[in-house]
Amino acid sequence: MTAAPRHPRAETPPDRPGAPGRPGHPGRTRHTPLYGPGLDGDGLPALYERLRAEHGPVAPVALAPGVRAWLVMGYEELLRVARREQDFSHDPRHWRLLRDGRVPADSPLLAFVGWRPALMFADGRRHRRMRSAVADSLGRVDGGELGHLVRDTADRLIDAFAGRREADLVPHYAHRLPARVVTRLLGADELVSRKLAEAVAGTAAANADSVHAGHRLERVLLALVREKRRAPGPDVTSWLLTHPASLREEEVLHNLVVTVVAAHQTTKNWIATTLRLLLTDPALRSSLDGGHLTLDEALDLVLWRFPPTQNLPGRYALRDVRLGRQEVRSGDMLVLGLAAAGRDPRVLPACGRPVTGNRAHVAFGAGPHACPAQPQARLIARTAVEVLLRRLPGLRLAVPEERLAWASSPWTRSLAALPVRLAH
């Protein structure tokens, strides 16, 4: 175990009149920053437990200087927020701070929470219309063909480094594989795949370039949408364009943006984290090799303990509600603490470890907005891990576990590198 890195000190609001404990308003409540270089995948779990001990299942946090929100860490509280669209909207235009002009136009947050005409930012009938188009288009992907595509892509990537003594499984494998597979599903070529992967990584970095990276991503996908309008094919982009829901070009574009970012980042982190656990947890690897644990069960343990998406913004209160021990006001933002909810001691066995085979985790969200691409993501992750273990059975870490580097992000649990030695 490594010591948790230091986190920025909690914000002390300026001494002005306001409602104590109300995000976006001054008061005496201390809002713990969810930003800054000290926040990485190694230290975040300890931060969640400190916040839970101090505030209960819902904690006041700051997403940027002066930008406050509630982090929902309780399992039941998270389900309530995710399921009750009548109380908690997905549309950021309900966010008081945004309406009041208190979020800078160049804020990295807007790459995640800026409104788009996409399913992730809609409620009710509008959401159901766009979700049906996305879910139906993804559902047309043949599972056998997808498995073959993943195996072929995995073999090609492994061939590129199998003859070396060392390799880094994040950039050389976990990052490239979902980028190439998802791009193929969209009907794009390898050049577009590289451009998309670069733009998605920039968007997820949550830094000053995030907004520009988001614009680059949109330009690449808009060119793809217009190409498929002229020459459709058997791919997700073409199926979205011709779906009975009759999405406008703008809606197709932005639903592709959401799909690409979610699919690439989530699957990349799921693959990398599963490989890390199998390389660092001898008991887990032994259970898998001995047939006492299936690979799907190992993947589920990862989703409980180390979900690829740590925190998912945002929901916006449509009325004043009491949640946990907090008074949430209309217009407040809430962040779904997916990782913290998976560690909620109220839903775990006494040993603190999830039950093998239990898929009641919230790693893919919950309620009407649960991820519609879960079957495809699982197939990609399972096949990627399976092929690597079969091709390179003697893999071992090239550095001590405590020296593994994590990307700095409040949103995803993302390894920056996973260096390994190959047996020859």
Side-chain angles (χ1 to χ4, degrees), residues 211-279:
V211 173
H212 301 297
H215 293 326
R216 293 196 297 274
L217 178 61
E218 290 176 19
R219 288 195 295 271
V220 174
L221 287 173
L222 180 59
L224 176 64
V225 169
R226 290 177 174 171
E227 175 191 335
K228 293 299 175 180
R229 179 80 75 183
R230 292 190 300 270
D235 53 70
V236 171
T237 306
S238 300
W239 295 332
L240 274 175
L241 285 165
T242 57
H243 191 273
S246 301
L247 301 190
R248 302 188 308 274
E249 181 178 273
E250 182 186 34
E251 292 176 322
V252 172
L253 167 64
H254 288 286
N255 278 291
L256 284 177
V257 170
V258 170
T259 300
V260 168
V261 172
H264 179 263
Q265 285 298 111
T266 299
T267 312
K268 180 194 81 169
N269 294 339
W270 198 4
I271 294 168
T273 302
T274 303
L275 292 172
R276 175 183 69 87
L277 284 182
L278 292 173
L279 289 168

Side-chain angles (χ1 to χ4, degrees), residues 21 39 41 158 204 219 245 290 308 314 334 386-388 415:
L39 290 173
I158 293 168
R219 288 195 295 271
L334 301 100
E386 190 175 65
V387 172
L388 187 78
L415 277 168

Side-chain angles (χ1 to χ4, degrees), residues 260-318:
V260 168
V261 172
H264 179 263
Q265 285 298 111
T266 299
T267 312
K268 180 194 81 169
N269 294 339
W270 198 4
I271 294 168
T273 302
T274 303
L275 292 172
R276 175 183 69 87
L277 284 182
L278 292 173
L279 289 168
T280 58
D281 188 334
L284 183 67
R285 182 60 186 272
S286 177
S287 294
L288 183 64
D289 292 344
H292 304 295
L293 184 76
T294 68
L295 185 49
D296 269 315
E297 289 170 337
L299 288 167
D300 284 320
L301 288 174
V302 170
L303 294 179
W304 274 104
R305 296 166 59 188
F306 310 107
T309 300
Q310 291 277 297
N311 301 304
L312 184 64
R315 302 293 188 270
Y316 309 92
L318 297 176

Side-chain angles (χ1 to χ4, degrees), residues 143-155:
E145 292 180 6
L146 177 57
H148 177 76
L149 172 60
V150 179
R151 285 189 293 274
D152 181 67
T153 304
D155 279 329

Side-chain angles (χ1 to χ4, degrees), residues 166 280 396-405 417-421:
E166 293 190 359
T280 58
R396 65 184 190 278
L397 272 185
V399 299
E401 181 182 359
E402 61 269 16
R403 287 179 53 193
L404 290 175
L418 186 59
V420 294
R421 289 197 177 95

Side-chain angles (χ1 to χ4, degrees), residues 24-88:
H25 291 261
R28 294 184 180 180
T29 299
R30 293 171 62 83
H31 293 75
T32 300
L34 275 187
Y35 61 90
L39 290 173
D40 64 23
D42 195 33
L44 281 169
L47 175 63
Y48 301 145
E49 296 318 305
R50 178 170 67 80
L51 289 174
R52 200 191 310 273
E54 292 179 5
H55 302 284
V58 180
V61 295
L63 306 180
V67 180
R68 297 169 185 169
W70 299 106
L71 178 63
V72 184
M73 301 179 295
Y75 183 89
E76 293 296 333
E77 288 77 10
L78 188 147
L79 290 180
R80 176 183 169 190
V81 172
R83 290 171 173 170
R84 294 181 63 85
E85 286 186 313
Q86 66 269 39
D87 294 333
F88 305 99

Side-chain angles (χ1 to χ4, degrees), residues 79-254:
L79 290 180
R80 176 183 169 190
V81 172
R83 290 171 173 170
R84 294 181 63 85
E85 286 186 313
Q86 66 269 39
D87 294 333
F88 305 99
S89 172
H90 293 73
D91 190 332
R93 292 173 294 186
H94 290 290
W95 187 17
R96 186 189 320 104
L97 293 186
L98 196 61
R99 291 201 312 262
D100 294 347
R102 298 182 60 181
V103 182
D106 60 351
S107 170
L109 285 172
L110 294 182
F112 294 92
V113 303
W115 181 83
R116 299 174 181 273
L119 76 170
M120 190 173 177
F121 305 98
D123 303 311
R125 184 180 301 174
R126 180 182 297 175
H127 168 255
R128 291 191 294 274
R129 170 177 163 268
M130 288 188 283
R131 183 184 175 90
S132 70
V134 173
D136 290 348
S137 298
L138 291 171
R140 291 182 66 175
V141 175
D142 181 85
E145 292 180 6
L146 177 57
H148 177 76
L149 172 60
V150 179
R151 285 189 293 274
D152 181 67
T153 304
D155 279 329
R156 290 174 183 269
L157 291 173
I158 293 168
D159 286 343
F161 60 78
R164 306 176 191 172
R165 296 186 62 184
E166 293 190 359
D168 188 336
L169 296 182
V170 170
H172 297 155
Y173 193 68
H175 176 72
R176 292 181 184 174
L177 187 145
R180 294 187 182 184
V181 170
V182 170
T183 304
R184 284 283 300 277
L185 295 181
L186 298 184
D189 58 25
E190 192 165 333
L191 175 60
V192 173
S193 174
R194 289 197 296 270
K195 291 180 179 178
L196 286 177
E198 177 187 349
V200 168
T203 302
N207 57 30
D209 185 55
S210 292
V211 173
H212 301 297
H215 293 326
R216 293 196 297 274
L217 178 61
E218 290 176 19
R219 288 195 295 271
V220 174
L221 287 173
L222 180 59
L224 176 64
V225 169
R226 290 177 174 171
E227 175 191 335
K228 293 299 175 180
R229 179 80 75 183
R230 292 190 300 270
D235 53 70
V236 171
T237 306
S238 300
W239 295 332
L240 274 175
L241 285 165
T242 57
H243 191 273
S246 301
L247 301 190
R248 302 188 308 274
E249 181 178 273
E250 182 186 34
E251 292 176 322
V252 172
L253 167 64
H254 288 286

